[in-house]
Amino acid sequence: MAFAEGIPGERGQYNGKVTLLVVLSCVVAASGGLIFGYDLGVSGGVTSMDPFLKKFFPNVYRRMKEGTKISNYCKFDSQLLTLFTSSLYLSGLVSSLFASTVTRVFGRKASMLVAGVAVLIGSALGGAASNLYVLVFGRLFLGIGLGFGNQSIPLYISEMALPKHRGAMNIIFDTGVGIGVLIANIINFCTEKIDGGWGWRISLSMAAVPASILTIGAIILPDTPNSLIQKDNNLEKAKRVLQRIRGTNDVQRELDDLLKASFISKTTKDPFKKILQRKYRPQLVMAAAIPFFAQMTGINVITFYAPILFRTIGLRESSSLLSAVVIRCFNVGCTFISMFVVDKQGRRVLFMLGGIQMLATQVTIGGFMTALLGDHGGLSKASAYVVLVLICIYISGFGLSWGPLGWLVPSEIYPLEIRSAGQSITVAVSFFFCFLIGQTFLAMLCHMKAGIFFFFGGWVALMTLFIYFFLPETKNVPIEKVEQLWKEHWFWKRFVGDEVDDSIYKLDK
């Protein structure tokens, strides 16, 4: 039995080359990834800073400093502290559903503009916060920005890129996420040393920098040809943009496919209702399963709380922040590797390799901490750095696989008529489990202790099997042709039929 490998070879490739406009569009759009990564990284860093805890979470600070009888795993267990981190994702969940309509009716650029402006407001409120209410209010605005940005940006990149380069171009978004977390960790490491205890204000306000890039880019860059046809039916403008981004006048073949997809999409009045139809069952399952599994890798345990986790095992404040910087360097490096090989080796190979690597390291970390870290005291310095090395290996596996592919694959599997709705479901599910894990992780750490790593390791094993059996290979397949893959698949063809469009096998030499 063939399990979803798909049929090799380039399927109906279009004319064109990588143009400066496409690269610029993708890089500017990927500044949204920078925003997402920065907000992921900065919260875990500032919540390990003494002045920040003392001002907004005095009970946590007091437990950390005075509670010698409190378990290592429970010192940071505070629902208010996790609310600060996870409120962003609850806001992002709600806003991503509204973003679907904005993206479909007004275009991808419109949602990107809303994202940039909302993050500018949120970063200003966070940097100027004088009490917990203003702090959380700022996080809610950041969530609105992330909801709109994460819903529209992967679609924007996938629609701008040529099929044979779509994987690499889209991974620019996740590279931005990794770089954003790394920058946040470096800034936290530096601002923690500022005398006067106000360094956290700089950390929280610096999200305005990538937000400014995204806002300006959303104003000056063109919308995608798919979007221009879908929202305005402006064929001439869409053709001109397509010629500019492909660097050739011979775009009729691709334009015909866009027109066909747009015609079908215009018959869809309620895309959220349509995606529930039986023939879209594989897309609906992937829209929910991929972001769910991506969060269940346990990556946000590391991203949100790496500094806190390292303080739990005995490293000092400054050392824990520096350790967080080190692991993000590994993540960014492996994401770059993924970007260069994803369109050659394919999505499934990277999912398999990353899954095996993450599973092995999580089980090892869990066993190591179970054996050596009790409720009181800490690990020896040497043991703490062994855990650091293992986490670096784990996060490099994530950087090769679920990190970039968790955003890439959903953005390329939906037909145009349900594309905006499908991406909204993906983002909403992602934010829901970001919120759930963010809100419960510190309590889970307190109760499960080192067993938390075995918990997430079990999920990694399950998701790796899921990908092996149920996800077809999408490399080099034009975005408007991907739906044909489900008709070939050993399992999904029973839902979508087994008729295959022979045109996807024609090679464009």
Side-chain angles (χ1 to χ4, degrees), residues 15 29 56-57 81 113 136 144 222 256 280 304 309 317 358 366 397 494:
N15 295 320
F56 296 107
F57 307 99
L81 182 61
L113 182 61
V136 172
I144 293 172
D256 288 343
Y280 298 116
F304 291 166
L309 195 61
E317 180 179 6
M358 287 190 292
R494 71 190 69 183

Side-chain angles (χ1 to χ4, degrees), residues 348-361:
R348 285 167 47 83
V349 170
L350 294 181
F351 270 127
M352 296 297 108
L353 291 176
I356 293 169
Q357 188 171 330
M358 287 190 292
L359 175 59
T361 50

Side-chain angles (χ1 to χ4, degrees), residues 51-67:
F52 181 84
L53 289 175
K54 195 184 300 182
K55 182 173 180 64
F56 296 107
F57 307 99
N59 289 336
V60 176
Y61 177 77
R62 190 162 49 250
R63 275 210 310 269
M64 184 180 69
K65 293 297 183 184
E66 301 171 1

Side-chain angles (χ1 to χ4, degrees), residues 383-405:
S383 297
Y385 284 114
V386 169
V387 173
L388 173 60
V389 169
L390 289 169
I391 288 177
C392 287
I393 297 172
Y394 159 79
I395 207 166
S396 64
F398 181 83
L400 278 174
S401 57
W402 282 93
L405 301 183

Side-chain angles (χ1 to χ4, degrees), residues 2 7 17 20 30 36 47 65 88 90 114 118 134 149-150 158 288-289 296 303 320 383 386 406 455 469 498:
I7 297 177
K17 59 185 179 181
L20 180 61
F36 187 32
T47 52
K65 293 297 183 184
L88 180 149
L90 187 61
V114 172
V134 176
N150 289 9
S158 286
M296 296 309 290
T303 303
S320 69
S383 297
V386 169
F455 173 78
F469 286 110
D498 53 8

